[in-house]
Amino acid sequence: MTHPAPTNAARQDVFDRLDALGVAHETFDHPAFFTVEEGRAHKLELPGGHSKNLFLKDKGGALFLAVAFADTQVDLKALSKRVAKGRLSFGSPELLLKTLGVTPGSVTPFALLNDQKIAVNVILDHALLRQDPIYFHPLENTASTAVSPEGLLTFLRASGHDPLIVDLARPLD
């Protein structure tokens, strides 16, 4: 399966899209970090839910972005049974860049701005949507942008992505 090249949106494009959609947002700059654990100390004073974002693919070439609450232990085996053709695995950095225009450590649902052909299936963690606000990198891992759960859903749907909302810790319930 081939995937179209991204449009290569930039940080300001995220803010412009959120503004155009009427989605309130606030961005906090911080040192670059590549994992949830690295970022914990920098986000202690930011109320709400922090995320982890997993770029995945299945054996058939379908792509997925699992957007989870930072504390959720995602059960990939169970999720594979629910949404994929075969086992889910992490997409390569090259495929991530080609498809969403971001690099590892910067994976974010805001990168769906670059998925003009709607090649990526979005899976949202129910636990994350119970937090307010929720934070995502604005296409770079040196900042986190806060939006409401409703704002995230508005952004996703406006980008053509209708997310599947599940309990990512136990997606078969």
Side-chain angles (χ1 to χ4, degrees), residues 25-36:
H25 57 94
E26 185 174 7
T27 298
F28 303 90
D29 291 312
H30 51 66
F33 51 83
F34 296 87
T35 67
V36 170

Side-chain angles (χ1 to χ4, degrees), residues 142-173:
T142 58
S144 293
T145 297
V147 296
S148 68
E150 297 80 19
L152 174 64
L153 291 169
T154 297
F155 175 88
L156 292 173
R157 291 178 178 137
S159 70
H161 297 84
D162 189 22
L164 173 65
I165 302 170
V166 298
D167 178 349
L168 281 173
R170 290 182 302 275
L172 295 178
D173 288 351

Side-chain angles (χ1 to χ4, degrees), residues 99-110:
T99 306
L100 293 179
V102 294
T103 57
S106 299
V107 181
T108 172
F110 295 142

Side-chain angles (χ1 to χ4, degrees), residues 6-7 13 33 38 41 49 59 65 76 80 90 92 99 101-102 111 120:
T7 61
D13 296 317
F33 51 83
E38 287 178 17
K59 285 188 161 197
L65 179 62
L76 287 182
S80 294
F90 289 95
S92 70
T99 306
V102 294
V120 179

Side-chain angles (χ1 to χ4, degrees), residues 26-53 67-71 105-110 128 131 133-138 140-147:
E26 185 174 7
T27 298
F28 303 90
D29 291 312
H30 51 66
F33 51 83
F34 296 87
T35 67
V36 170
E37 287 308 313
E38 287 178 17
R40 282 196 196 279
H42 298 288
K43 295 180 175 183
L44 288 176
E45 297 180 19
L46 300 177
H50 301 283
S51 66
K52 63 180 162 188
N53 301 276
V67 181
F69 182 49
D71 294 333
S106 299
V107 181
T108 172
F110 295 142
L128 181 66
Q131 309 295 314
I134 48 182
Y135 297 86
F136 307 100
H137 292 310
E140 55 190 49
N141 65 355
T142 58
S144 293
T145 297
V147 296

